[in-house]
Amino acid sequence: MNTGTGPLDGVRVVDIASSYAAPTMSMYLGDMGADVVKIEPPRGDDARGWGPPFLNGEAAWFLSVNRNKRSLCVDIRDEEGREVLFKLLETADVFVENLNPAKLEKHGLGLDELRRRFPHLVICAFSGFGLDGPDAALPGYDLIAQARSGLMSVTGVDGVPQRVSTALSDVAAGTVGAFAVAAALVRQQRTGVGEIVDVSLLEADLAFMSPRVASFLAGDPEPSPCAGTDSVVAIYQSMRTADRPIVVAIGNDRHWQRSCAALGLAHLAEREDLATNAGRRAKREEVVGAFQERFETMPSDEALKVLQDVGVPCAPIKSLSEVVSDPQVQARRSIVDYEHPVAGVFRGVGAPWRLSTDPEDRQARLPAPMRGEHGRDILNDIGLASEDIARLKESQVVWVP
């Protein structure tokens, strides 16, 4: 059943953030039905220029993280621009920002002052390193967070650290922020009391590192980049086959017994010293070598079928061209498309959840907005008359098309 609304219908989010982490969060809130007002500077969000690729001049990166939002261009450095923002915040439930604290104070948007003026607001502050601590004022990007969190120290080949090659920290922080804001909204709706939600890229990546940090603190040696072959589980890594690499996850002793039998390695399954994961991990090189030797005699399709037939988790390592045509991805409508007024048909990743009330086509309610596209409507919403809007436009406080 499609109710036409989401669970956050009636919630207004005002978002002055740019880049990718905070916009990911506000997009997810918009996907859940919130009215997200995206405040951009008069020139537009810098992410509008992040390309190529461009679709008829619209950046694919921007389109991928700004659906279900309305755009208003306001110069919040100007006193009148801030008054517009404050009028919006009077009607809002959530305020999202990712400015340096010094800039916030300079523009009259310090968090303590905002809490005093708008005690009902859930304020979500995104940063590289958090609102306090010795590095709170440092700028943060995905690459920096991956390096500082230790994520790069365990990723790579032959001891050479590598970045996970996507905006991992941003999407992680956006997801964490959406969860925390939704939780704060539950209390706000019950008590009328707001919150400051402090989300950092560093701590979002640290959450990914939780099992590795725990293992290290419990006595494991310092890990190093080794192509994903050093998991606490043996075997849990990529394997070469006769034609292409696959991954195999022998997550328990039953998987071990079944995989050995299916691959003709019963002699390994009979060994008492390999009966547990601890034993297999102690002799990882021998175990991996035996499996690798067997896999190299098999084409990947055969190896995958042999393991899947006995319930052992495994998968091909797919390229993006294979991912977007994956039957499971297609059946779940994980890749969505919608019509954009300039870009045309845009295709990208949809929300990573399902609700029983979701529409079957998973269409966005709104495509990513054009620069300032909804400005007049939003300004009218907060009581500004046409002559007020014209005056603000003339003084370059707002930009409306």
Side-chain angles (χ1 to χ4, degrees), residues 65-83:
V65 78
N66 283 292
R67 64 176 177 260
N68 291 329
K69 302 179 186 181
R70 299 189 293 158
S71 172
L72 166 65
C73 291
V74 180
D75 185 358
I76 62 173
R77 299 171 302 176
D78 183 276
E79 186 175 347
E80 284 194 292
R82 288 195 295 276
E83 285 304 315

Side-chain angles (χ1 to χ4, degrees), residues 61-348:
W61 269 62
F62 179 86
L63 296 174
S64 74
V65 78
N66 283 292
R67 64 176 177 260
N68 291 329
K69 302 179 186 181
R70 299 189 293 158
S71 172
L72 166 65
C73 291
V74 180
D75 185 358
I76 62 173
R77 299 171 302 176
D78 183 276
E79 186 175 347
E80 284 194 292
R82 288 195 295 276
E83 285 304 315
V84 170
L85 175 61
F86 292 149
K87 282 182 178 291
L88 265 171
L89 293 182
E90 289 172 0
T91 72
D93 301 286
V94 179
F95 177 53
V96 184
E97 61 83 14
N98 65 347
L99 297 180
N100 182 287
K103 287 186 178 180
L104 281 174
E105 296 288 346
K106 178 181 177 182
H107 297 327
L109 297 171
L111 297 185
D112 290 338
E113 175 60 20
L114 286 175
R115 281 301 306 277
R116 184 195 65 77
R117 186 166 181 173
F118 306 104
H120 70 287
L121 267 186
V122 174
I123 301 169
C124 188
F126 279 84
S127 62
F129 301 101
L131 294 178
D132 54 13
D135 293 336
L138 292 179
Y141 289 91
D142 169 71
L143 175 64
I144 308 305
Q146 289 200 34
R148 286 283 298 264
S149 67
L151 188 61
M152 286 179 64
S153 78
V154 298
T155 307
V157 181
D158 297 330
V160 180
Q162 292 181 354
R163 169 181 174 262
V164 178
S165 189
T166 186
L168 184 76
S169 314
D170 297 294
V171 176
T175 305
V176 167
F179 160 74
V181 165
L185 278 169
V186 172
R187 185 171 62 189
Q188 181 214 59
Q189 300 291 312
R190 188 175 65 246
T191 67
V193 177
E195 180 65 272
I196 294 179
V197 177
D198 178 359
V199 179
S200 75
L201 301 185
L202 173 61
E203 288 171 304
D205 280 357
L206 276 174
F208 281 126
M209 290 297 293
S210 179
R212 304 304 298 265
V213 170
S215 295
F216 172 70
L217 293 176
D220 250 7
E222 183 95 61
S224 61
C226 54
T229 63
D230 64 342
S231 169
V232 70
V233 177
I235 298 171
Y236 195 90
Q237 64 182 75
S238 62
M239 290 282 184
R240 298 183 304 276
T241 68
D243 57 346
R244 64 181 291 177
I246 63 173
V247 294
V248 180
I250 299 179
N252 57 49
D253 296 340
R254 294 185 304 280
H255 291 159
W256 168 250
Q257 295 291 331
R258 293 171 185 171
S259 60
C260 286
L263 292 169
L265 300 172
H267 62 287
L268 295 179
E270 293 168 359
R271 284 174 49 177
E272 197 65 32
D273 61 336
L274 301 179
T276 66
N277 182 70
R280 296 189 291 275
R281 186 178 175 187
K283 298 188 176 179
R284 186 194 301 272
E285 186 174 341
E286 178 187 358
V287 169
V288 170
F291 271 63
Q292 184 61 80
E293 185 177 350
R294 179 71 179 97
F295 281 131
E296 287 177 351
T297 69
M298 308 168 72
S300 57
D301 286 348
E302 179 186 351
L304 291 168
K305 186 175 188 311
V306 163
L307 293 177
Q308 287 169 349
D309 283 350
V310 295
V312 174
C314 57
I317 300 174
K318 293 194 169 187
S319 64
L320 286 185
S321 59
E322 293 173 305
V323 171
V324 297
S325 59
D326 185 303
Q328 180 67 15
V329 171
Q330 290 185 337
R332 294 276 290 174
R333 295 183 175 87
S334 303
I335 305 297
V336 298
D337 59 72
Y338 57 77
E339 190 74 31
H340 186 274
V342 172
V345 176
F346 170 75
R347 299 182 69 214

